[in-house]
Structures are given as C-alpha cells and as structure tokens.
Amino acid sequence: MELALFFADVDAQPWAELQHAYGSAADVPDCLRALAGDDEDAASEAISELYGSILHQGSVYEATARAVPYMAQLAGAGYRTEDLLVLLGGIAEGGADHGDTDEAACRSAVIGQLPLILTSVDAEEAGLRRAAVWAAAMTGAADRVLPVLRRRRKQETDALVRAELLGAMAHLDPAGTAAAATEAMSTDEPGEVRIAALLACVDAGLPWTSAHHEAMLSLLPADELVEGRLDLERNEPLQYVVEALLLRDTDKDREAVYSLLDAALRSAVPEARTEALWAAETACRLSRSAPERLVAPMEALVADPASVPAAYSLLEKLGTHAVAAAPVLARLAEGEGDPADRALEALVAVAPDRAAPLLARDLGQRPRALGAACGFLIGGTADTSFPYDPVLLDAIRTRLGADDLDGNEPIRLTALLGAWGSRASAALPELRSALPRFPKVVAKALAAVCPPEHRAATAELLTTAACSGPEDGRLAAARAVRRLTGETGPLLAAIAAQLARGGHGVREAAGLAAELGPEAAGLVPALRSALSAPGEDRNIPQLDSDVEIAAALWRITGDAKEAVPVLAGVFTEVEPVWMRWTFTRAARAAARMGAAARPLVPALEGLLTDRLQTPAAVLALHAIAPESLDGPRLAGLVLDSAEEDADAVTALEALVALGRTALTEDHHRRLTALAERDLRVTASGLESGMAPADERLREQAREAARMLS
C-alpha cells in the first residue's frame, strides 16, 4: 500500500463539509494517519476518537460512510486490522438495507468492502477471524456471507471463533441455523460453543425443552463463556434467555422461565446465583407475575443470610412479596455506614413498617434508605406514602435543624412530612425555622402539616416569604398561603414578579396563573410580555413556557384569539426528537380550548404519525371537532401507542373520550389485553418506578374496559 497516494486521496475528500457526532469531520484524516503510524498509543486513541465521532453510541453520520473505504484499506494493509474490522461491523450493525439515509449509506459502504472482510475469515490469528466473522454478519448480506461462514465452520477449531461463527449464522439465518445449533448444544463442544448454540436456538424461536433447560443450568455461570464474543446483546446469556422467553408471552414459556430461575437461584455455585439474580430482575421488569412467582426461590435464597446482600436489588423489586427477608435485612440494617444503609434501602421496599424506626435511628447517615422512603411518593397517593412513625417524625425534626442539611435531603424530609399531613404537625416549629434556608420545599410542607389553630401565624410567615424572601421561593410560599387561607393576593404578586424576571420560572408562573383563571385577569399584560419572540431561535424551555402562557390566557379570558396563534407557532417548530413532549403539551392545551382551537386541526392531524404524540393529538381533535373523526381508526392508533408504552396513560384517556362506538371487537380485545396480559406495558422511565406505574396503568385499563364495555 502506497501511503502517500492513499493519503492524497484521503485529503482530497471534503471532510470539513461532512458531519459526524461533533460537527465537522475535518479531524478524520488525522485519525486515519494515526492508525497508519508507528505510535501505538496514538493509534489506540485514534480508534477511540473514531468510535466517538463516526460511530457515536451506535449512531452513524454522513462522514461515516465516506470513511468506510479508507478504514477498510488500512485494515487490508495490516494497520490495526482487528480493531478496524470490529469498527466496520459496528457501523454496519445499526444500518438499514434501503432508503436515502445515513444508516443505509453506511451499511452499503461496508457491504462494498465484503471481499476484503471475508478474506480475514481465514486469517491465521483467531482474533482476526472472529472480527471478520462478526463484521461480515453485521452487513446482513446473507447470500454472500453464509456460504463462507458455513465453509469455515467445518474446519474451525478455536472455540471462540466457532461460537462467533454459530452466532453469525444465526444472525443471518435463524431458522436455517436451528438444526446446527441444536446439534452443537447437545454435543461435547466447548462451553463457549454450547452457549452460543443455546442462544441461537432461542433466536430461531425453537420451543424451550427440558434439553435446553438442562443445558442452560449446566453452563452456569455462563457470562464468562461469552466474554470474548463481539455480540454485546447476548453478553449475559441467562438474562437474555429469560427476556426472550418472556417476550414470547405464552404460558408455556413463562413456566419455562420461572422453572429455570427457581433452579438457578437455588444453585450451590455463588456466581451462578449472581447471574440468576440479574436475570430475575429482568423478569420483574417485564412480567407482572414475576414478584409472586419468585417468592419461593427467594425464600430459599435468603435462608442463607450471607447471600442476602447480593440480592438487595431484586428484593426491592419484589417488594412485600419478599417479606421473608425482612428479619435478615433488619439485622443488617442495624450496622453502620453504607452497608447498613443499603440493607435498610431494601427493607423499605420489603417491610416499610419495620424500616421506619431503623431509618429514624441514624437518619442523617441513611441517604439511600431515605431516598427509597420518598420513592413511595412518586406518583403515589396518601395511602401509598411511607408509613407514619412518631419516632421517625422526631428524627426528621432534629435533622431539619442540622447544620449539614443540604442536597436532596431537605426535599426528601419535607416530602415525607407533607405526605403525613396533620399527623406531622409537631414539626411546625422546625419547618418555620427552616423556611428561610429551603423556601421552595418547606413552604409546601408547612401548608400540608399546619393545623387550623396555627394557620393564621403560619400564613403570616409565608406571606412575608412570598413578598420579601428569596426570589426562587416566593411562588412556593405564595401558593402555600393560598392553600392555607384562600388568599390570592400574594400569589398574584409573586406570579407577576416571576413573569417579569423571565427564565425557567415562567412556565411554573403561567401554570399557576391558569389555575387562578379569571381571578388573574390583571396578569394578562405580564403573560403577553413573557411570550418568546416569534421567529427567534427558541429553546424547549421557552416553547414549554409559551404553551403554559397560551393555556393561561385562555383560562383567564375565555378568548382563544391570542392563545391559538401561540400554539400554532409552537407546532411550526422543526421537531427534533427531544421536542416531542412539547408538542404533546401543546396538544393538551388545544384540547382544553375545544372548538375554539379549530385552526390547529391540520397541525394536530400531523402529530398522528408519531406514536408518542398520537394520544394527546386524538384527545385534542376529539375536543375540537368530534363530528369529523374516524373513531375506529383513531382508536386503533391510540391502542398502538399504549401497547408500545408511548404515553399509554393519555392513550387510555383518549380511548375513553372516543367512546364505545369507536371500538371494534378487536379494539376491545386489545384493551382487555393491556389490563390482563402478563407482559408489563410500562417498561420505560426510572427503574424503581416502572412496576408501580404499570400497576396504576393496569387499573386504568381495567376501568377503561369497564366504561367502554
């Protein structure tokens, strides 16, 4: 390879005009030069930079496809060949076979280098063979790649390469590889090959049999068998099997999963139990029946107290189903430092009544457990909040006066007090003292715990905070005054001041103005002035604020002539992915305006192509022009959104709004499935909140099914 000619060609490309993850791709030639140089550290750094720029977290760009031939040529010439083959495989992996997209261009570019890639399938070094096998498979070019892989498999002796070959064949032709995988799983092949064969059987959709069950158990711990594989999706085999079988959503496959987990959790090998714990957590994330089904093996596991710390995360997901672990957790929580805090965090989920006094014992040193106790408040109601405990109340009162109180702790302490309401009224003196330090969070708690006989004095204190306290706490203080006394004067003044200041507080202020409705008529000029200027480069917080201002103007005046153009301006923004929730909020605001928002119908209809925005758009269209809707079509669209966990709560709300006449027999079946199926619908968001959110959604789906029956 003549490097001078090679780099002359590289330099002739318009890299500065091409884009990658960090903007201009002008740095790509330097990376390529480093790969061809003698400095190993510089070459390693160049590989890292290319992963960060042209294959950033799996995403590819216009510069990526242009770089592919040059990277392939360097690999073919022996420069960092293994690394570059893996990089080429990664570029092809996230690609598409058709369309005018960067992804399709990149996959096509890598397919164009298949002759070079396939040459390395027979390389002397095993690492090169593995890299070439994986990269070739990622192109998806089965007709060209499979014959080469099948030929190589007949002569390959290295276990990891054999495993990579089997995995690659299964990727390109799952059904056609099933027979070879079944044979390899049940023979005397090395463990690396047998686990690859087992996963290939799963990918082929073969029924899970006792042979698969016994093979999986015999291979545990299995993670070490795939450490050298390039297939990161299957780097935790037991977890992968559990997820794949549960997603089949059949009774037989669920029974197979829980039988497998039961046996694995009872294993005498600690490393196997650890893998089983991770896999059981996956089951809890996916399956509504998992907590109940995992009770028996967990009781067997916690019979050995030494095994409990490794199970904390799973115990939290099992919640009260794992109450058998409470005595061990309580003993561990009586210790000191982070180990005790970690045990108490699990106990909060498993037996909250038992956790409360232990949390009080050393409250300032239990941030994990305190955070878990406040997790009960996420989307919860009074009956799901952390249990009231007088000893814990005394500990909170003491902590509120501590000099080292900072970070999230004030938020969590006051959240607990607020959830307890008047039962926490004894903390009133400490809350009053803490108000100047933490006005945003303390004001709300003051209003929540204040008994009738102290309302006047507390309201006076809050009114002072609303008028002359720290600016970032004035809205909260004024809102608390209104809650205590019904007086709106301080709140009107605080809203006006925040609107004048601008910034992130505008959205909250506008929302409060909307709550006041016609009482806030004097704020209309301030709301108008707080709108962002049309045509300027507006960011998402500004657009969100504009939506709230539009809603406030409508609620206050009852006239849509100002609000509708504001929302129309939001809908005209070019929509990056992260702006989707802004459009959803704008659609909800339009729904509240009803027929007055008719000019927004074309924009709302445009949202129906996006699953996340469909539910709010349907709600709005139904409120604005119900007579013109194709009810069955829209019912199908919102059910699509709910089934894909795309704003499922709003989807069910929209379905109820459409009414029973919009639902076909198939729609009723799908709605019933949302309520009664085993697979969770809610599978996104904070992990600790997914199961509770799914349970609430399940109840909403049941209620919707009842209303629409």
Side-chain angles (χ1 to χ4, degrees), residues 211-233:
H212 297 103
H213 176 90
E214 295 302 327
M216 185 75 255
L217 292 176
S218 71
L219 290 166
L220 294 178
D223 288 4
E224 61 191 21
L225 299 175
V226 297
E227 284 181 352
R229 294 284 305 279
L230 296 170
D231 181 4
L232 299 181
E233 287 188 10

Side-chain angles (χ1 to χ4, degrees), residues 164-426:
E164 205 71 64
L165 282 161
L166 197 55
M169 290 162 56
H171 175 79
L172 293 169
D173 182 16
T177 308
T182 300
E183 180 182 2
M185 184 192 74
S186 58
T187 61
D188 294 330
E189 289 272 16
E192 292 86 350
V193 179
R194 293 183 66 214
I195 194 64
L198 183 63
L199 298 180
C201 289
V202 172
D203 289 340
L206 296 181
W208 187 264
T209 66
S210 59
H212 297 103
H213 176 90
E214 295 302 327
M216 185 75 255
L217 292 176
S218 71
L219 290 166
L220 294 178
D223 288 4
E224 61 191 21
L225 299 175
V226 297
E227 284 181 352
R229 294 284 305 279
L230 296 170
D231 181 4
L232 299 181
E233 287 188 10
R234 297 164 183 77
N235 62 355
E236 295 177 354
L238 180 59
Q239 190 174 31
Y240 183 83
V241 167
V242 165
E243 180 169 357
L245 294 181
L246 285 176
L247 289 176
R248 293 181 183 179
D249 199 21
T250 69
D251 291 339
K252 182 178 180 180
D253 287 305
R254 274 189 291 277
E255 289 300 322
V257 164
Y258 293 116
S259 175
L260 183 61
L261 288 175
D262 187 279
L265 287 167
R266 298 175 192 269
S267 172
V269 181
E271 293 81 4
R273 292 199 302 272
T274 297
E275 292 182 12
L277 287 169
W278 294 337
E281 287 190 52
T282 294
C284 289
R285 176 173 58 83
L286 293 173
S287 168
R288 288 167 167 168
S289 62
E292 185 176 355
R293 297 296 304 270
L294 292 169
V295 167
M298 280 306 303
E299 288 180 350
L301 186 71
V302 301
D304 174 15
S307 67
V308 171
Y312 285 157
S313 184
L314 178 58
L315 289 171
E316 290 164 19
K317 291 178 174 60
L318 297 181
T320 55
H321 289 281
V323 69
V328 178
L329 291 172
R331 286 197 299 272
L332 293 169
E334 290 174 349
E336 297 181 356
D338 187 67
D341 188 21
R342 187 70 185 88
L344 185 56
E345 180 183 27
L347 185 61
V348 164
V350 169
D353 288 324
R354 194 160 183 172
L358 289 171
L359 180 57
R361 183 177 301 179
D362 197 6
L363 181 58
Q365 302 302 313
R366 298 291 181 260
R368 285 178 175 270
L370 178 59
C374 288
F376 277 72
L377 307 175
I378 300 175
T381 59
D383 61 341
T384 60
S385 62
F386 192 69
Y388 168 76
D389 183 85
V391 178
L392 181 55
L393 173 60
D394 289 340
I396 292 174
R397 295 176 64 185
T398 299
R399 280 301 298 162
L400 284 173
D403 293 335
D404 61 344
L405 188 66
D406 59 13
N408 288 326
E409 192 176 1
I411 300 172
R412 292 169 174 169
L413 296 177
T414 54
L416 283 175
L417 295 178
W420 290 340
S422 60
R423 291 175 295 177
S425 61

Side-chain angles (χ1 to χ4, degrees), residues 428-429 431-436 442 446 454-469 477 481 484:
L428 203 59
L431 287 170
R432 287 172 173 169
S433 297
L435 181 61
V442 170
L446 271 171
H454 291 287
R455 284 180 182 170
T458 302
E460 183 178 352
L461 181 69
L462 288 166
T463 299
T464 300
C467 296
S468 58
V481 171
L484 280 175

Side-chain angles (χ1 to χ4, degrees), residues 590-602 604-605 617-631 634 657-658:
R592 290 192 290 271
M593 296 176 194
R598 189 174 292 272
L600 298 175
V601 165
L604 292 165
E605 289 176 338
V618 170
L619 267 180
L621 289 168
H622 181 268
I624 295 167
E627 72 286 347
S628 63
L629 301 184
D630 181 346
L634 295 182
L658 289 171

